[in-house]
Amino acid sequence: MQIFTEKPLIEFIEKHPKMRVAIQDWAEKIKKAEWLCIDDVTTEFDNVEIKDRQTAIFHYNIGEKQINITIMFIGKFVYVRKLGINVQTRAESNLFELCRVQPLITSEASN
């Protein structure tokens, strides 16, 4: 697979340097993948949620933080649509505080 643009990943790593290893690991797995359809994603990742025929959300837990990466899969290309972190608060361990999830590539921007 080919990641359409790595700029959102690089910007995310610059803002969250402790997440570098997780993001780089994810990107390398994506580049080595050879998916034919969105269902193939679940054969390589167990931490993925399929939303529709082209969209998947990856969830990575790192300590009290969870990285969420939303992608659109078209042909041999993976487009990073959203990238963000949820942080679990220590006071209320069952609640997650959304720190940052914003679209980095939208369908309007790609036209």
Side-chain angles (χ1 to χ4, degrees):
M1 301 304 299
Q2 182 176 358
I3 298 174
F4 180 68
T5 179
E6 293 190 24
K7 184 178 178 183
L9 302 175
I10 293 167
E11 290 174 352
F12 185 83
I13 289 170
E14 288 172 354
K15 292 179 183 175
H16 307 281
K18 292 182 180 181
M19 303 297 154
R20 174 182 299 274
V21 173
I23 296 295
Q24 288 175 335
D25 179 57
W26 177 83
E28 287 304 312
K29 288 179 183 176
I30 296 296
K31 290 175 185 176
K32 292 177 184 176
E34 295 183 13
W35 303 328
L36 299 176
C37 66
I38 196 74
D39 292 329
D40 291 344
V41 177
T42 59
T43 63
E44 293 185 41
F45 294 91
D46 59 357
N47 56 348
V48 66
E49 172 186 355
I50 305 298
K51 296 303 272 184
D52 58 39
R53 293 179 58 201
Q54 295 179 321
T55 309
I57 303 173
F58 295 85
H59 305 283
Y60 282 94
N61 293 316
I62 301 172
E64 294 179 351
K65 296 182 180 180
Q66 181 183 60
I67 300 173
N68 297 312
I69 306 168
T70 303
I71 64 149
M72 180 178 276
F73 162 63
I74 302 174
K76 293 289 183 185
F77 291 95
V78 170
Y79 298 85
V80 177
R81 296 189 66 206
K82 294 181 185 177
L83 184 59
I85 296 179
N86 289 338
V87 178
Q88 187 173 7
T89 61
R90 289 177 190 236
E92 299 180 46
S93 61
N94 293 329
L95 298 177
F96 283 88
E97 174 189 342
L98 184 64
C99 287
R100 181 179 191 89
V101 174
Q102 69 179 40
L104 297 174
I105 298 176
T106 63
S107 57
E108 295 85 28
S110 62
N111 290 335

